């Protein structure tokens, strides 16, 4: 029995009590069931008695005992006790608790999924690095977290589109083109340009495609290096992300927003809405009316659109494509965008809650106790390739996803190359590999899953392992709700530790020539259930689940 199943059973029980006239009270939409900190307090606990007692104006110990019998009658519930100010401590019988092992195995890859977000069409924009250089470590973090979040949202029934916003014009692209031109010409890099081996490499490849580029006049040459160089750089970015296990459904070109005067038309619409005002030769959005800390220029005094004009256009474009939720993952220097984008949505007469902005913080790489600050290829930044070359894709993705995105993190490269329990990704992957080794050994000893007796799973470590398995669907659901993939990673670490303790305490295969008993078969089910949940969780994070290590 999972916590969700127990919650549903308690809800149904209380609804029956209301319908039977036992009491008249409005029940909460959700009854939370959690694992008590002290195992002696039962298998699961809920504060529903405290919640309802406040509504009836009586203490739980006075009002609840007469209702306890209904809960105790739920199939699989062994006992219900009242503790503290109104907590119900629920103990399941061994059979009900152990039945979860079979539930997990039979559900397979579907265990942990649900349809809570069915019908939601979500646009998830992440990475969106300018095509002026390789993906840096901050973008790498968003690649890992963003793809994991997409997988988690999809597991809850949402239709998710992974989108990369491709900024292919502007001052940064101009500097990139001038840097390529200077490299090809054998000239020093511009003071505000880009450096690193990749610039020389791209410049050489541009000349391979456009051998006459340097014979053109400077303006035409710069345009050739811009057009071909951006295409080559973005091709490299796509390959790096693909090798990292991240592919996008849509690559959206910024310049398309300004085609056919789309953005201009939106700004004219805003002018007539009264949400723009003219001052100091420029047009301003009254964003303070919608929660922003200051009004924002949308049309500069020279008549050109400000950066926020493109943001407004992009938001409208997404809404026109039918997305009812737009999640945007941005770097640490974009805090001001949260209120700005919500204000723009409201000013357009749309729901600001259709925009969510997630802000990621800095990532620092450490090696030999010192920061890694520079890439040979990229010059001044550490790149996705640097991290993958050092620790591999699995360790990189898992480590970046196991921390809350709004916290700064230090990644110890030396730790991530260790094959020890100190290394979180090794710890979890090894647990999964061990479940396969246990299964292989059990089968060779004659243990099969032809029968199952949940009541035999009565060892304390089995209760703990079953509880950790049962919590997995709720962990995934909360990871989706709060947009926090690290919840899945951290739970996998708890599950791995719980499994290792069970492995040390309980035998799956009989000793020597001892006969195979029902407990051995049931434990193999439990082993395989753990194997399935570990695999499901690692898949949500985009990390492999090796069968041997």
């Amino acid at each position: 029995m999972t916590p969700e199943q127990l919650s549903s059973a308690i809800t149904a029980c209380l609804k029956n009590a209301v319908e039977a006239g036992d009491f008249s009270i409005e029940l909460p939409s959700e009854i939370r069931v959690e694992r008590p900190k002290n195992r002696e307090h039962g298998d699961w606990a809920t504060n529903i008695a405290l919640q309802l007692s406040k509504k009836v104006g009586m203490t739980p110990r006075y009002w609840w005992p007469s209702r306890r019998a209904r809960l105790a009658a739920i199939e699989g519930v062994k006992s219900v006790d009242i503790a503290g100010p109104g907590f119900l401590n629920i103990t399941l019988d061994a059979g009900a608790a152990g039945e979860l092992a079979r539930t997990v195995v039979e559900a397979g890859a579907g265990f942990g999924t649900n349809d809570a977000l069915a019908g939601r069409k979500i646009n998830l924009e992440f990475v969106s690095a300018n095509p002026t250089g390789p993906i840096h470590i901050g973008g790498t973090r968003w690649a890992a977290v963003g793809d994991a979040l997409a997988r988690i949202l999809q597991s809850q029934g949402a239709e998710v589109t992974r989108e990369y916003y491709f900024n292919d014009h502007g001052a940064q692209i101009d500097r990139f083109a001038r840097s390529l031109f200077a490299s090809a010409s054998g000239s020093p890099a511009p003071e505000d340009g880009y450096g690193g081996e990749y610039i020389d490499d791209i410049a050489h490849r541009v000349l391979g495609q456009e051998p006459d580029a340097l014979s053109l006049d400077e303006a035409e040459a710069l345009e050739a290096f811009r057009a071909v160089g951006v295409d080559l750089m973005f091709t490299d970015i796509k390959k790096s992300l693909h090798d990292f296990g991240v592919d996008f459904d849509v690559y959206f070109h910024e310049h398309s927003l300004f085609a056919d005067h789309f953005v201009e038309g939106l700004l004219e619409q805003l002018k007539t809405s009264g949400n723009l005002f003219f001052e100091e030769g420029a047009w301003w959005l009254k964003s303070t009316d919608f929660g922003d800390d200051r009004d924002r220029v949308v049309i500069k005094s020279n008549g050109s659109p400000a950066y926020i004009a493109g943001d407004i256009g992009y938001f409208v474009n997404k809404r026109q494509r039918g997305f009812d939720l737009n999640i945007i993952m941005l770097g640490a220097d974009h805090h001001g965008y949260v209120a700005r984008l919500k204000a723009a949505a409201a000013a357009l007469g749309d729901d600001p809650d259709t925009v969510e902005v997630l802000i990621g913080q800095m990532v620092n790489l450490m090696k030999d106790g010192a920061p890694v600050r520079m890439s040979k290829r990229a010059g001044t930044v550490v790149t996705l390739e640097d991290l993958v070359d050092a620790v591999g894709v699995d360790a990189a993705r898992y480590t970046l996803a196991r921390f809350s995105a709004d916290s700064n993190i230090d990644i110890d490269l030396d730790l991530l190359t260790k094959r020890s329990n100190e290394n979180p990704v090794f710890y979890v992957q090894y647990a999964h590999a061990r479940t396969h080794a246990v299964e292989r050994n059990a089968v060779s000893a004659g243990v099969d899953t032809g029968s199952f007796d949940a009541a035999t799973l009565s060892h304390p470590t089995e209760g703990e392992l079953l509880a950790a398995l049962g919590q997995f669907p709720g962990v995934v659901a909360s990871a989706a709700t709060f947009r926090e993939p690290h919840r899945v990673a951290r739970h996998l670490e708890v599950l791995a530790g719980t499994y290792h303790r069970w492995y040390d305490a309980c035998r799956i295969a009989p000793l020597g020539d001892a006969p195979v008993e029902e407990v051995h078969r049931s434990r193999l089910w439990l082993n395989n259930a753990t194997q399935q949940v570990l695999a499901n969780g690692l898949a949500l994070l985009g990390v492999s689940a090796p069968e041997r290590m």
Side-chain angles (χ1 to χ4, degrees):
M1 181 180 290
T2 67
E4 289 74 25
Q5 290 170 331
L6 182 57
S7 173
S8 297
I10 295 172
T11 300
C13 174
L14 293 176
K15 284 182 177 178
N16 290 339
V18 170
E19 292 171 359
D22 288 8
F23 55 90
S24 178
I25 197 170
E26 182 180 354
L27 298 175
S29 58
E30 178 186 10
I31 295 177
R32 291 182 60 83
V33 174
E34 299 177 334
R35 190 72 169 167
K37 292 181 179 179
N38 189 335
R39 182 66 179 80
E40 295 178 358
H41 293 168
D43 295 312
W44 303 102
T46 176
N47 67 348
I48 186 60
L50 180 61
Q51 291 182 53
L52 298 185
S53 294
K54 288 180 179 179
K55 293 184 179 182
V56 298
M58 300 180 186
T59 66
R61 290 186 177 278
Y62 177 81
W63 174 77
W64 191 260
S66 59
R67 280 83 188 170
R68 183 172 57 184
R70 282 186 174 274
L71 294 187
I74 295 175
E75 185 177 357
V77 171
K78 181 179 180 181
S79 64
V80 180
D81 298 310
I82 300 176
F87 288 95
L88 298 182
N89 292 328
I90 301 169
T91 300
L92 304 179
D93 62 46
E99 189 63 35
L100 177 65
R102 179 157 55 188
T103 298
V104 173
V105 173
E106 291 177 348
F111 187 74
T113 65
N114 65 51
D115 59 0
L117 295 179
R120 297 298 303 275
K121 190 175 180 182
I122 300 174
N123 182 287
L124 180 59
E125 181 204 335
F126 58 106
V127 183
S128 297
N130 290 329
T132 56
I135 300 291
H136 59 71
I137 193 65
T140 306
R141 183 181 197 177
W142 272 145
V145 175
D147 187 61
L149 179 57
R151 293 164 184 255
I152 289 167
L153 292 170
Q154 288 171 322
S155 79
Q156 305 303 290
E159 179 185 343
V160 180
T161 294
R162 295 165 173 83
E163 186 149 320
Y164 189 117
Y165 184 63
F166 180 19
N167 183 345
D168 50 0
H169 79 277
Q172 290 179 319
I173 300 298
D174 293 339
R175 293 201 302 273
F176 178 63
R178 285 189 283 110
S179 301
L180 295 176
F181 179 67
S183 174
S185 305
S187 304
E191 287 187 12
D192 61 347
Y194 298 92
E197 288 184 357
Y198 82 94
I199 288 291
D200 297 333
D201 173 60
I202 295 288
H204 178 74
R205 290 159 63 191
V206 171
L207 291 177
Q209 292 190 26
E210 298 287 341
D212 299 327
L214 291 177
S215 64
L216 302 172
D217 65 63
E218 186 170 323
E220 291 179 328
L222 284 171
E223 175 55 27
F225 278 99
R226 186 203 68 77
V228 179
V230 165
D231 182 64
L232 290 171
M233 187 72 256
F234 200 51
T235 298
D236 288 353
I237 288 173
K238 287 181 180 179
K239 183 180 185 306
S240 294
L241 289 168
H242 175 76
D243 292 344
F244 197 56
V246 178
D247 292 294
F248 288 85
D249 303 300
V250 175
Y251 292 94
F252 190 93
H253 289 249
E254 181 185 21
H255 72 78
S256 66
L257 293 171
F258 297 90
D260 301 322
H261 307 290
F262 177 70
V263 170
E264 291 178 25
L266 288 176
L267 298 182
E268 289 300 319
Q269 176 186 330
L270 278 172
K271 287 180 183 178
T272 60
S273 73
N275 291 323
L276 292 189
F277 66 93
F278 189 75
E279 186 175 286
E280 299 177 354
W283 284 92
W284 300 67
L285 176 68
K286 295 180 181 178
S287 47
T288 51
D289 289 355
F290 304 99
D292 200 355
D293 60 346
R294 60 189 175 91
D295 294 328
R296 307 284 177 175
V297 174
V298 292
I299 305 176
K300 301 176 185 178
S301 57
N302 64 5
S304 64
Y307 194 85
I308 192 176
D311 292 335
I312 293 171
Y314 191 30
F315 168 74
V316 172
N317 175 276
K318 288 178 179 178
R319 294 290 279 157
Q320 289 178 347
R321 282 187 279 150
F323 295 107
D324 48 51
L325 177 61
N326 301 284
I327 303 175
I328 307 166
M329 308 176 88
L330 298 173
D333 56 344
H334 287 75
H335 274 285
Y337 274 67
V338 181
R340 188 183 313 179
L341 292 175
K342 286 184 172 291
L348 288 162
D350 209 332
D351 182 356
D353 288 338
T354 59
V355 180
E356 286 185 22
V357 181
L358 306 180
I359 301 295
Q361 295 301 321
M362 301 296 292
V363 180
N364 301 305
L365 298 189
M366 309 292 292
K367 185 170 179 58
D368 300 325
V372 178
R373 300 195 181 279
M374 188 176 296
S375 163
K376 180 180 178 183
R377 174 167 157 75
T380 58
V381 296
V382 179
T383 69
L384 183 158
E385 287 84 357
D386 294 327
L387 180 58
V388 170
D389 288 347
V391 302
V393 171
D394 279 349
R397 286 194 61 145
Y398 186 92
T399 302
L400 290 168
R402 75 182 289 267
F403 293 94
S404 174
D406 61 3
S407 63
N408 293 324
I409 57 174
D410 293 329
I411 296 179
D412 186 341
L413 298 179
D414 298 313
L415 175 64
L416 293 182
T417 56
K418 289 182 178 179
R419 295 173 63 84
S420 72
N421 291 346
E422 300 173 81
N423 179 352
V425 66
F426 176 84
Y427 188 61
V428 173
Q429 288 184 315
Y430 179 72
H432 180 266
R434 174 174 267 185
T435 65
H436 278 276
V438 166
E439 182 182 17
R440 289 191 297 268
N441 292 337
V443 170
S444 67
V447 182
D448 58 42
T449 54
S451 60
F452 177 70
D453 182 358
T456 63
L457 301 176
S458 57
H459 191 277
T461 61
E462 289 170 330
E464 291 299 318
L465 184 53
L466 287 162
L469 295 173
Q471 289 170 311
F472 180 71
V475 168
V476 178
S478 67
T481 299
F482 296 104
R483 324 299 189 220
E484 294 180 339
H486 72 273
R487 291 173 180 249
V488 174
R490 297 296 176 147
H491 186 69
L492 292 182
E493 292 164 31
V494 170
L495 177 58
T498 308
Y499 174 77
H500 290 314
R501 288 189 291 275
W502 171 72
Y503 173 87
D504 291 338
C506 297
R507 289 198 60 83
I508 293 85
L511 275 172
D513 296 328
V516 174
E517 299 178 354
E518 200 66 14
V519 67
H520 299 122
R521 298 187 182 91
S522 301
R523 283 175 175 168
L524 182 56
W525 279 88
L526 181 54
N527 175 82
N528 294 353
T530 306
Q531 178 185 115
Q532 186 66 64
V533 172
L534 287 169
N536 291 358
L538 287 168
L540 290 175
L541 300 176
V543 177
S544 70
E547 296 184 8
R548 298 175 187 269
M549 290 183 72

